[in-house]
Amino acid sequence: MVKLTIVYYSSTGNGTKMAQFAKEAAEKFGAEVRLRKVHELAPDMAIDSNPLWRQNVEATKDIPEATSEDLTWADALIFSSPSRFGVMASQMKQFLDLQGGPWSKGLFANKFVTAFTSAQNPHGGQEKVIESIYTVMQHWSAIVVSPGYINPATYAAGGNPYGTSATIGSDGEMLQAEEVRAAIHDQTVRLLEVAKKYVGE
Ligand SMILES: Cc1cc2nc3c(=O)[nH]c(=O)nc-3n(C[C@H](O)[C@H](O)[C@H](O)COP(=O)(O)O)c2cc1C
């Protein structure tokens, strides 16, 4: 059975939704799945300035925080971060920056990896956020499995071949959520199929 860890950051809940879309697809595939959020770094003052942010913190309080062991345990990894001025959120970067120990022992080599993102604008840095994650993955000797253009759902969700990316409306709600869900399902299944060929049954 392929082991998958989904590591995500989300302030206002869209990234949480995307991570859950991946979890449902992976469970349907038959993978063993861990869903993990990264540690929040923002102060309460910032969180309380946005009701959606506080709501998401409360709604996800039972989701465990990601650890190095969650990464080394898995055969396949999914990372998801919203756009922060066109790069991944500092919370996700901090988590990645804490992985120097296992990285130096080569423990992330040959993990299969893919990534998602979201931004307020259709061109709010989605491709660059995903690339910023994949850059780290290449330093880890991980194997990036991007969706490319082999599944129609990718086109329907905006056509980002690097990884599914959502656009968030001015009310904070994800646009085309069903299309995003379908694209994440296909991206997750593709990752798991490739990983399964490597790790076996
Ligand atoms: C500090 C900060 C910087 C952001 N930068 C951008 C940006 O450059 N372009 C953009 O379209 N959206 C930007 N956003 C909007 C977020 O990407 C959007 O809120 C996020 O996709 C929502 O995801 P979440 O609900 O999972 O937190 C920014 C948000 C914050 C808080």
Side-chain angles (χ1 to χ4, degrees), residues 19-168:
Q20 281 162 347
F21 291 158
K23 182 171 182 275
E24 67 190 25
E27 285 173 346
K28 201 164 159 207
F29 181 88
E32 197 177 336
V33 186
R34 291 186 185 180
L35 176 65
R36 300 288 187 259
K37 66 188 182 208
V38 297
H39 182 67
E40 179 58 272
L41 299 174
D44 278 338
M45 201 174 68
I47 296 170
D48 286 326
S49 70
N50 183 340
L52 289 176
W53 197 347
R54 174 56 68 194
Q55 204 176 300
N56 183 52
V57 168
E58 290 303 316
T60 59
K61 62 177 188 298
D62 294 334
I63 296 177
E65 289 191 354
T67 65
S68 300
E69 193 273 333
D70 290 320
L71 302 180
T72 55
W73 168 84
D75 307 304
L77 302 168
I78 290 176
F79 292 94
S80 179
S81 167
S83 174
R84 293 290 182 260
F85 310 124
V87 289
M88 74 180 92
S90 58
Q91 290 86 346
M92 179 62 79
K93 185 63 167 48
Q94 164 82 348
F95 174 69
L96 297 178
D97 287 353
L98 290 171
Q99 306 312 322
W103 164 80
S104 69
K105 298 186 187 119
L107 297 181
F108 303 137
N110 302 343
K111 304 282 183 193
F112 293 86
V113 179
T114 202
F116 317 133
T117 189
S118 68
Q120 197 84 46
N121 300 279
H123 301 284
Q126 284 92 334
E127 296 181 1
K128 284 188 164 274
V129 174
I130 290 173
E131 285 300 322
S132 73
I133 294 171
Y134 289 165
T135 296
V136 176
M137 295 306 120
Q138 289 172 92
H139 286 234
W140 285 10
S141 308
I143 301 165
V144 172
V145 183
S146 49
Y149 284 122
I150 57 162
N151 289 310
T154 303
Y155 294 96
N160 187 341
Y162 305 104
T164 306
S165 49
T167 304
I168 311 305

